[in-house]
Amino acid sequence: MRIFAVIFSLAVSLLAPAMANATWLDARTDHFVLTVDASEEDARAFALRLEQFDHALQLLYGVTDTPDRRSRPIHVYALPQQLFAETCRCGLTVAYYSPRATGSFILTQYVPKVDQKSQIGGWSTQTLLRHEYSHHFMYSNFPLAYPFWYSEGFAEFNANASFEKDGSLIIGYPANYRAEGLRNGGLGMKQLFEPDTYGYPDDMDLLYGRGWLLTNYLMLGPQRKGQLASYLAAMNKGARSYAAAQQAFGNLDTLRDELESYRKGTLAAPLRIPPPAAPLNVTITPYSPGAAEILPSYLLIKDGIARNYRLGTAMTAAKIASRYPDDAVVQTQLAEIEQYAGRLDRADAAADRALAIQPNGIDALVRKGMIASERAASVKPADAKAWSTARSWFLKANRADPNAVMPLYLYYSSFVAAKEKPSAGAVNALLRAAVLAPESRDIRHAAARQKLIERDAATARDLLQPIAFAPHRRRDRNIPREVITLIDEGKIDEAIALITLGEDKDREGD
């Protein structure tokens, strides 16, 4: 979450006139939900490109498409520059990926007139969107420990692509916008492979650029076939990144010289990925007037804002929602905003209004359970009836959609919050949530703790690896990595104590 001292509620009110003229559309494919202010033709083309890109990555990396993959599409919010800036509060960023248990999403700028003029290998919002989606593709399909250079190099490798007229994609063009960082050099192999130990460069373009170059060299060149897989395997068995590189690549000075020759010479040809065999489907639905009007407030809460600024956003949202009492989406989103602002009675009432309109609305059912859980957690000593009531909402949501992640995860979490031993059904629910949302660090953390309690240290270690080595994790105490060290030392009780401590220190969105 980004925490900035900005009067967000004022920002939302300033956006209201511009938003009134927006034509927000919901464009859905098998793997994406796209929110975009565009014509239906443009929204359809945008969504089809996203789906084509996912299909190409599936073929390139040998991913089998399954019902589980399709049950949890990622949400892409393609926003005008002003709304993106007010939502993101992140300077020069053009797009970013947020893996969440509640539903992973990407926020991106949408400036089609600029993107239409961009060249292959050039900086554009579409290139950055593909970069961010590549992160999601990696973390959700191959949840392993990855070093910074390869996580970013993989995303850069995929992002530089062209969509051909026959429906095929060409992937692996040079990332020309990293050229300056590549020319400058100045990045040693220790910094490249293990910046968290040997120091991040002042110019991060060096790390991104060299990461792309090494990824391109290892994936497209024949000289070191199989070495990338060996390197990642060594890392995931516990070797530090630099030591794993020495094991897999041998003399790293030699690798450095090869990379420099490769940079100055002719790069390997990119890869052509054939078009999908079957037509791709897109369903377009216009946003209701209420959903369009409340969107800026909802985006602020979804992305996360500091506690001091939540009340103003909730007051703005409540004023909007009062005009749309019969819109289930508006009332459901208001319930989330109100709970985030700490106004539980108002949140509860909004969720009730949503369920009166749409009795099986998953998000509203989950919200009722979350509100009830928050209330139950405040009661001392524990009130078994209150916790039972909270769980009943998660069970209702699960019956409405057995593949919805949050009911599964929150049902288990309610036992932990109540300091009760989770039932066998609750444990199974958690493990199912981990299958459906492997990119969520909260769910992986909870599942790892449960497996440690069960004395299944090997599975716990596997679950923690992607969290411990997440390239963009906060650079503070790395509790997941410390837990892995304790596991490797056979200190399971100490590992349980530490991972329990870490649950409240590394939450998604905090």
Side-chain angles (χ1 to χ4, degrees):
M1 185 184 79
R2 294 154 178 81
I3 301 176
F4 290 83
V6 178
I7 305 177
F8 296 118
S9 57
L10 175 61
V12 172
S13 66
L14 291 173
L15 283 168
M19 296 298 295
N21 298 320
T23 307
W24 290 104
L25 299 177
D26 177 294
R28 293 179 181 251
T29 68
D30 284 345
H31 305 95
F32 298 89
V33 177
L34 170 65
T35 292
V36 63
D37 174 15
S39 68
E40 183 170 332
E41 180 183 6
D42 288 343
R44 187 177 301 278
F46 192 159
L48 281 173
R49 285 196 303 273
L50 288 172
E51 194 66 22
Q52 282 179 269
F53 185 59
D54 176 77
H55 172 266
L57 295 186
Q58 287 181 52
L59 291 182
L60 181 57
Y61 297 106
V63 170
T64 301
D65 204 20
T66 64
D68 283 353
R69 268 193 99 233
R70 295 190 293 274
S71 72
R72 190 173 153 87
I74 186 170
H75 204 134
V76 175
Y77 294 92
L79 309 179
Q81 289 173 293
Q82 183 183 357
L83 179 56
F84 179 88
E86 298 294 350
T87 302
C88 173
R89 296 98 62 204
C90 49
L92 299 176
T93 300
V94 174
Y96 63 92
Y97 166 55
S98 186
R100 300 283 180 90
T102 51
S104 298
F105 63 90
I106 297 172
L107 255 63
T108 179
Q109 290 188 26
Y110 179 56
V111 283
K113 291 182 179 179
V114 175
D115 283 346
Q116 287 167 7
K117 299 176 182 178
S118 66
Q119 302 295 315
I120 296 172
W123 189 275
S124 71
T125 63
Q126 288 293 311
T127 300
L128 268 293
L129 172 56
R130 291 192 293 269
H131 175 110
E132 298 303 330
Y133 181 67
S134 294
H135 283 318
H136 179 70
F137 186 89
M138 170 186 270
Y139 303 151
S140 58
N141 291 295
F142 306 103
L144 300 170
Y146 295 106
F148 193 106
W149 74 266
Y150 183 63
S151 179
E152 298 304 333
F154 177 88
E156 294 283 72
F157 178 84
N158 297 317
N160 289 280
S162 65
F163 293 77
E164 304 301 300
K165 292 181 179 179
D166 65 354
S168 64
L169 258 72
I170 299 178
I171 290 177
Y173 286 107
N176 293 328
Y177 48 84
R178 301 294 183 194
E180 190 63 30
L182 284 169
R183 281 195 296 268
N184 287 343
L187 188 69
M189 299 304 274
K190 286 185 175 180
Q191 270 192 303
L192 173 61
F193 282 108
E194 208 169 313
D196 53 336
T197 300
Y198 298 105
Y200 286 85
D202 292 334
D203 182 0
M204 289 296 287
D205 212 38
L206 294 172
L207 193 49
Y208 278 74
R210 289 283 160 173
W212 166 79
L213 183 67
L214 181 54
T215 301
N216 184 287
Y217 181 63
L218 294 174
M219 290 185 66
L220 297 183
Q223 298 91 335
R224 292 178 173 267
K225 188 174 182 180
Q227 291 186 5
L228 176 60
S230 298
Y231 163 74
L232 293 174
M235 266 198 72
N236 281 273
K237 289 177 182 176
R240 301 286 295 192
S241 177
Y242 186 71
Q246 290 175 313
Q247 291 177 34
F249 304 127
N251 188 308
L252 296 184
D253 289 339
T254 301
L255 177 61
R256 179 199 59 211
D257 293 341
E258 289 178 21
L259 273 183
E260 192 62 16
S261 296
Y262 186 60
R263 180 185 72 84
K264 294 177 179 177
T266 301
L267 298 178
L271 303 171
R272 179 181 289 271
I273 314 299
L280 302 175
N281 298 314
V282 181
T283 302
I284 305 286
T285 306
Y287 267 46
S288 68
E293 193 172 346
I294 204 171
L295 180 62
S297 299
Y298 180 65
L299 288 173
L300 283 174
I301 295 299
K302 189 172 185 65
D303 186 56
I305 56 176
R307 191 174 302 276
N308 292 346
Y309 303 103
R310 296 173 189 176
L311 179 58
T313 302
M315 292 173 67
T316 299
K319 185 176 180 180
I320 294 168
S322 68
R323 297 193 289 272
Y324 305 98
D326 298 324
D327 190 318
V329 171
V330 172
Q331 297 304 320
T332 300
Q333 292 183 353
L334 175 63
E336 182 175 348
I337 294 168
E338 293 282 24
Q339 186 186 7
Y340 200 62
R343 305 202 299 182
L344 296 188
D345 289 345
R346 290 173 175 269
D348 216 3
D352 285 339
R353 289 192 294 272
L355 290 171
I357 303 162
Q358 190 178 14
N360 286 328
I362 302 298
D363 291 341
L365 290 169
V366 167
R367 191 58 48 188
K368 287 286 291 184
M370 293 177 73
I371 294 165
S373 294
E374 188 170 341
R375 285 175 169 151
S378 67
V379 176
K380 302 289 187 267
D383 184 338
K385 185 177 179 180
W387 281 111
S388 178
T389 298
R391 289 174 195 137
S392 72
W393 290 108
F394 301 138
L395 291 171
K396 287 178 185 178
N398 177 253
R399 286 193 292 271
D401 183 358
N403 286 323
V405 169
M406 287 302 284
L408 297 166
Y409 170 54
L410 292 174
Y411 183 69
Y412 170 87
S413 298
S414 70
F415 288 90
V416 177
K419 301 189 184 315
E420 299 176 29
K421 180 180 178 180
S423 65
V427 173
N428 288 336
L430 173 66
L431 299 180
R432 177 63 178 153
V435 170
L436 292 167
E439 74 277 14
S440 166
R441 69 173 181 263
D442 281 358
I443 294 175
R444 296 187 78 85
H445 196 121
R449 178 179 177 274
Q450 179 61 38
K451 284 299 177 182
L452 281 173
I453 291 170
E454 297 172 3
R455 277 352 199 217
D456 184 353
T459 300
R461 191 185 193 285
D462 289 343
L463 285 162
L464 286 172
Q465 285 273 60
I467 311 171
F469 291 89
H472 292 291
R473 72 173 312 281
R474 290 192 293 256
R475 295 178 195 171
D476 53 8
R477 184 180 180 186
N478 192 333
I479 289 179
R481 194 176 293 190
E482 291 180 32
V483 173
I484 288 174
T485 299
L486 290 172
I487 291 172
D488 291 343
E489 294 172 352
K491 299 177 180 177
I492 305 306
D493 289 334
E494 291 91 334
I496 294 171
L498 184 56
I499 198 172
T500 301
L501 171 68
E503 280 185 323
D504 293 327
K505 292 184 177 294
D506 194 26
R507 307 291 294 179
E508 293 170 355
D510 286 353

